[in-house]
Amino acid sequence: MIEPVGFTASVVGITTAAIGSVKFLYTTIGDIKDVPTALGNIRSDLQAVEPVLQKLITDLEREDSQVLPTGAIKSAVENCNSACSTFKKRLDHWMRHATKYKAFWAEWTDRVRVGIFEQGTINVFKGRLNDCKSTLNMALNTSSVLIVARQESMMKEVKDSILKGNEELLDREKDRADRELAAIESSMKQLLVSIRDEVNEESKRNLEQLLEEMQEQKASNDFFRKTCEEALLKTKNIYNGIEQEIKNTKADNNSKAVAGLINTSGKVRNVKQNISDTSAGGGSFAGAGIIQDLDLSIPSSKNE
């Protein structure tokens, strides 16, 4: 588990680098004369993701930050930075033969007749950017919801309504992420067929390169889904009155250690726990938290 202080410093640094990559690519595309619409539209995606990255830094550095300290968020920002760097290389490759005597759009038109590589690369890049934006939006929105939900002066009915609304939003976003994953996997299967049937070696290499980029897109979708799942769990726990921070639960030498809510069937409300170093050794038992109906006579029982 990433510790909050380390998480903040690490993600702020990576996010700052990602913002630089986004701005550089935005400027680069803007400087292309007669840029094709397909490329020009990317500037809108870049413009949309930058303020979300900026907000992530601001929210992480707040003293009351509730941003989920999850590896998926860090990975989403890293993926955004990587996607921008990769696409910049593709752009340089596409323009390497451009001259002042030939407009870029004309060369672009010549190349797109070759196959699906260029447009596929654009679609994958836009998908990775969108996944990054969606991942961070879900994390930041949940952060705001948790801050509001912890205000003691707010009526319980209002808190419950806010938390329930966030839960429904996260459910919808997770469903969308699942549909996008299915679409990505379907596209990858079709691409594998194209690679198998392609006879031109250069085109085949391009398609194989696109497949690698699709695998990165699939990973960015995974970051999005994981963030939705973690935010959903956090929201439900707060709604049910459960807040837990459990660290270093250990057991060795035929011992047993349990911590948290054990056999409560999710019926417990208004619980706040901060459980730290729970351990057991030498055939002993250690338990911490709210524990019900725990049978210690059966070492391999369902309560492990």
Side-chain angles (χ1 to χ4, degrees), residues 247-261:
K247 298 180 180 179
N248 301 326
T249 300
K250 299 177 182 178
D252 55 24
N253 297 327
N254 297 317
S255 302
K256 181 180 293 185
V258 295
L261 300 177

Side-chain angles (χ1 to χ4, degrees), residues 114 117 191-212:
V114 175
F117 174 62
L191 188 55
L192 282 170
V193 173
S194 298
I195 292 172
R196 183 195 64 196
D197 296 340
E198 182 58 61
V199 294
N200 182 280
E201 286 301 318
E202 183 179 0
S203 296
K204 190 169 187 175
R205 284 195 299 272
N206 286 339
L207 293 177
E208 289 171 343
Q209 198 171 48
L210 177 58
L211 181 61
E212 292 178 4

Side-chain angles (χ1 to χ4, degrees), residues 12-244:
V12 166
I14 294 168
T15 306
T16 300
I19 290 171
S21 295
V22 167
K23 287 182 175 180
F24 183 71
L25 186 56
Y26 179 88
T27 301
T28 299
I29 295 175
D31 288 341
I32 298 174
K33 183 179 179 181
D34 299 322
V35 63
T37 301
L39 274 178
N41 289 342
I42 289 178
R43 299 186 84 215
S44 298
D45 295 274
L46 293 166
Q47 197 169 30
V49 78
E50 183 187 342
V52 182
L53 292 167
Q54 296 279 13
K55 190 174 189 306
L56 176 62
I57 293 177
T58 300
D59 282 21
L60 282 171
E61 292 180 336
R62 283 205 327 260
E63 290 185 5
D64 62 345
S65 175
Q66 297 293 325
V67 178
L68 302 173
T70 169
I73 294 174
K74 181 180 179 182
S75 296
V77 178
E78 289 174 331
N79 185 66
C80 176
N81 193 24
S82 171
C84 288
S85 298
T86 298
F87 194 78
K88 176 60 171 59
K89 291 177 182 177
R90 300 288 177 270
L91 196 58
D92 291 341
H93 177 76
W94 293 337
M95 295 181 66
R96 73 185 186 279
H97 297 305
T99 70
K100 62 181 179 180
Y101 304 107
K102 191 173 184 180
F104 177 75
W105 66 265
E107 293 208 6
W108 173 268
T109 302
D110 289 342
R111 276 191 297 277
V112 294
R113 293 196 186 101
V114 175
I116 63 174
F117 174 62
E118 285 82 358
Q119 188 58 55
T121 296
I122 289 175
N123 291 340
V124 168
F125 176 63
K126 288 167 70 71
R128 292 176 72 180
L129 276 184
N130 186 62
D131 282 338
C132 173
K133 184 179 69 175
S134 297
T135 298
L136 301 185
N137 272 333
M138 289 302 98
L140 294 171
N141 182 69
T142 299
S143 168
S144 299
V145 166
L146 297 185
I147 290 173
V148 171
R150 288 190 171 98
Q151 293 179 4
E152 296 182 359
S153 60
M154 182 172 289
M155 294 177 59
K156 179 181 180 302
E157 292 77 8
V158 177
K159 290 182 182 181
D160 286 351
S161 176
I162 293 172
L163 289 167
K164 197 65 179 176
N166 194 55
E167 181 180 332
E168 291 171 355
L169 172 63
L170 289 165
D171 277 330
R172 290 195 299 271
E173 287 297 290
K174 186 177 180 301
D175 287 343
R176 178 170 70 85
D178 289 340
R179 292 193 300 272
E180 289 176 354
L181 175 62
I184 292 169
E185 291 178 337
S186 176
S187 296
M188 290 176 69
K189 288 180 181 178
Q190 294 175 22
L191 188 55
L192 282 170
V193 173
S194 298
I195 292 172
R196 183 195 64 196
D197 296 340
E198 182 58 61
V199 294
N200 182 280
E201 286 301 318
E202 183 179 0
S203 296
K204 190 169 187 175
R205 284 195 299 272
N206 286 339
L207 293 177
E208 289 171 343
Q209 198 171 48
L210 177 58
L211 181 61
E212 292 178 4
E213 293 171 8
M214 282 188 175
Q215 290 168 342
E216 294 297 327
Q217 184 186 10
K218 184 177 178 181
S220 69
N221 174 272
D222 189 46
F223 305 147
F224 179 29
R225 287 184 295 110
K226 285 181 178 178
T227 299
C228 286
E229 290 169 358
E230 184 164 345
L232 191 58
L233 177 61
K234 190 76 171 179
T235 301
K236 287 181 176 179
N237 281 347
I238 300 298
Y239 178 78
N240 291 324
I242 301 169
E243 294 190 52
Q244 296 182 310

